[in-house]
Amino acid sequence: MTGELIKLRRISRRALVRGALAGTATLALGNSSHAACMVTPRQAEGPFYPEHVLESDWDMTKVLGGTGRASGEVIEVIGQVRDDRCRAVGDCILEIWQANAEGRYAHPQDLSNKYPIDKNFQGYARIATDKDGHYRFMSIMPGSYPAGGDWIRPPHIHFKVRSAFSSLTTQMYFAGHEQNDHDYLLNNLESMEEKHALLVDFQQIRADGVRVGKFDLVLTRD
Ligand SMILES: [Fe+2]
C-alpha cells in the first residue's frame, strides 16, 4: 500500500466520522425544530369576537376612566410569532379577546352567562409584535363559561394573528386546568402534539407574584 493511499483512507475515515456526527446533529436539530415549529392548530373564532371596542392597548386589566383594576387574577402572556421553518416573523398584528374572571364576555350575544360584565376589564387588545415577532400583554385569568348543554368551556384566550403573508385564528388554554379534558374544541384536535401546542403553563412567576405564560404562534408561509 502506498503512503498516498493510506493518507486517502485516513481522510476518508475522518470524513466518514465527521459525516456521521453531522448527520446525528442534523437529525436532533430537525426533530426539535419540528416540534418547536409545528404550525399552530387553528381553532374556531367563536361567537364573541368584539363588536365594539373602546380601548385596545396591551394592558387589558384596566380601562380609561375605570374605577380600578379588573377583578380576578392578573396574568401576563408573552410569546413569539415564527414560521414553520422556525424563522421569526416580525411586525405582525395580534388581536386578543377573552371572557372576564367570571367567564362573561362584553358582547351582546353572551346571554347564557349570569355573571355581569366587568366595567374595568378591557377584554380585547390589538397589539403589534416587534421586528423579531415578540409580543406581550397583561390580562386577567379568564373564567369558564357554559356553551350549551353540558358543555363548559375551560378558561381560554382567543387569538387572531396576521403577518404580511399569512393569518391564523386560534385559542390558548391553561395547562392543567381540570376542564380541559372535557372541552370539545380542545379535544377535537388530531394529535397530542397539536393539543400541547395550545396549552400554556403559567409556572413562571414575576417578582410581584404575577404568573407569566409563554404562547408562541407558528404560521405557515402561504
Ligand atoms: Fe371563548
Side-chain angles (χ1 to χ4, degrees):
M1 194 178 286
T2 65
E4 193 62 27
L5 188 56
I6 291 168
K7 193 176 165 191
L8 277 173
R9 280 194 173 170
R10 278 180 186 155
I11 289 169
S12 172
R13 184 172 293 160
R14 272 203 301 272
L16 203 67
V17 170
R18 205 164 46 231
L21 289 173
T24 308
T26 303
L27 188 65
L29 186 65
N31 285 346
S32 66
S33 298
H34 176 73
C37 299
M38 181 189 78
V39 173
T40 303
R42 293 176 186 274
Q43 292 258 278
E45 181 174 297
F48 303 131
Y49 179 81
E51 287 189 0
H52 307 289
V53 173
L54 295 174
E55 249 182 273
S56 60
D57 63 273
W58 70 283
D59 187 353
M60 296 203 277
T61 69
K62 50 192 178 187
V63 294
L64 209 60
T67 56
R69 274 231 148 142
S71 61
E73 180 197 351
V74 175
I75 57 170
E76 178 179 346
V77 183
I78 60 173
Q80 185 189 26
V81 182
R82 295 191 296 264
D83 69 14
D84 49 9
R85 290 172 62 186
C86 289
R87 295 171 297 194
V89 180
D91 302 320
C92 298
I93 299 293
L94 261 69
E95 288 183 282
I96 300 133
W97 69 101
Q98 63 166 88
N100 68 22
E102 302 288 3
R104 175 75 192 267
Y105 284 86
H107 190 287
Q109 297 307 313
D110 189 5
L111 304 171
S112 60
N113 197 320
K114 64 183 191 302
Y115 292 100
I117 290 168
D118 181 351
K119 298 262 192 246
N120 290 320
F121 183 50
Q122 191 169 293
Y124 171 85
R126 188 175 190 278
I127 54 176
T129 66
D130 68 14
K131 65 179 174 45
D132 296 316
H134 293 108
Y135 74 88
R136 172 185 178 225
F137 67 90
M138 301 298 298
S139 193
I140 293 289
M141 176 74 192
S144 309
Y145 61 85
D150 60 354
W151 184 13
I152 302 292
R153 298 254 35 230
H156 59 276
I157 299 178
H158 294 262
F159 281 73
K160 194 186 280 279
V161 53
R162 293 187 186 88
S163 72
F165 54 81
S166 186
S167 66
L168 173 79
T169 300
T170 193
Q171 301 182 30
M172 186 212 87
Y173 299 82
F174 295 77
H177 195 278
E178 58 189 8
Q179 286 160 337
N180 287 341
D181 290 341
H182 309 290
D183 183 58
Y184 296 130
L185 290 181
L186 182 57
N187 292 287
N188 205 28
L189 293 166
E190 291 191 354
S191 67
M192 287 302 289
E193 199 180 18
E194 284 192 321
K195 193 172 164 182
H196 284 140
L198 301 184
L199 288 166
V200 173
D201 93 44
F202 280 70
Q203 289 184 358
Q204 186 187 333
I205 300 172
R206 298 192 329 199
D208 61 359
V210 170
R211 290 195 296 153
V212 182
K214 188 169 188 292
F215 183 48
D216 293 335
L217 292 144
V218 182
L219 305 177
T220 53
R221 276 192 187 264
D222 48 29

